[in-house]
Amino acid sequence: MKAAILTLSDKGSRGERADASGPALVAWLAERGVETVRTEIIPDEADLISARLAAWADAEDVDLILTTGGTGVSPRDVTPDATMTILDRLIPGFGEVMRMRSLQKTPNAMISRAVAGIRGTALIINLPGSPRGAVENLEAVWPAVPHAVEKIQGDTRDCAPVH
């Protein structure tokens, strides 16, 4: 599996803050045999986010696109909004599971607006901006990610054995 990671941070894009979430996700994915082929930090601008996500998905050289940052309710948190404008299909269960898992640690999880979905043959998942939150949320949905990618890319095998 090949992945791309898009970090959304105004300060990070200006070099005023080091990105810790992107590298944490790269390391976590590498431990699972996933090669990260693209990383980038851009500001919290909806048009830039949607353009980058669409371009990466449409290039068809990545299976999984992760965003980190911009999933909350602050005025500049526009990642879910930008993501939804370019998705072919939404997968609500990923966001539901991430919020449910995060609620075990903090009541602030209920204000997460993270979404996940499909564009072309790529699975796109929004993750929080903190390194720990990003990794914990990815861990929560990871059991379904490889299967989802296979199905998105046309696997026709049955999902469960027929009895």
Side-chain angles (χ1 to χ4, degrees):
M1 188 181 316
K2 292 187 179 185
I5 299 169
L6 184 62
T7 300
L8 295 315
S9 170
D10 290 331
K11 289 181 181 178
S13 69
R14 294 190 303 258
E16 298 170 5
R17 176 187 296 157
D19 175 27
S21 297
L25 290 168
V26 169
W28 193 91
L29 290 169
E31 291 171 2
R32 283 141 190 89
V34 178
E35 178 186 4
T36 301
V37 297
R38 285 195 183 110
T39 61
E40 189 173 351
I41 304 170
I42 62 174
D44 294 290
E45 296 290 341
D47 292 345
L48 289 174
I49 297 166
S50 58
R52 188 69 77 246
L53 292 175
W56 285 3
D58 294 349
E60 296 186 357
D61 61 348
V62 295
D63 309 299
L64 175 65
I65 301 171
L66 304 175
T67 68
T68 177
T71 60
V73 295
S74 296
R76 300 277 302 153
D77 289 340
V78 296
T79 304
D81 313 278
T83 302
M84 288 188 31
T85 67
I86 60 95
L87 292 177
D88 297 327
R89 292 188 287 165
L90 186 66
I91 307 175
F94 279 88
E96 294 165 2
V97 166
M98 291 187 295
R99 281 182 283 280
M100 186 174 61
R101 180 73 58 87
S102 294
L103 272 170
Q104 296 171 3
K105 298 181 183 271
T106 175
N108 291 336
M110 67 182 84
I111 64 172
S112 169
R113 300 180 314 109
V115 299
I118 303 161
R119 180 173 175 107
T121 59
L123 172 61
I124 301 172
I125 304 172
N126 297 155
L127 300 168
S130 76
R132 191 162 109 200
V135 169
E136 286 176 354
N137 276 251
L138 185 56
E139 285 174 340
V141 297
W142 190 256
V145 169
H147 180 69
V149 167
E150 289 172 352
K151 291 300 177 186
I152 290 165
Q153 295 180 349
D155 179 13
T156 59
R157 291 177 290 169
D158 289 337
C159 292
V162 177
H163 298 286

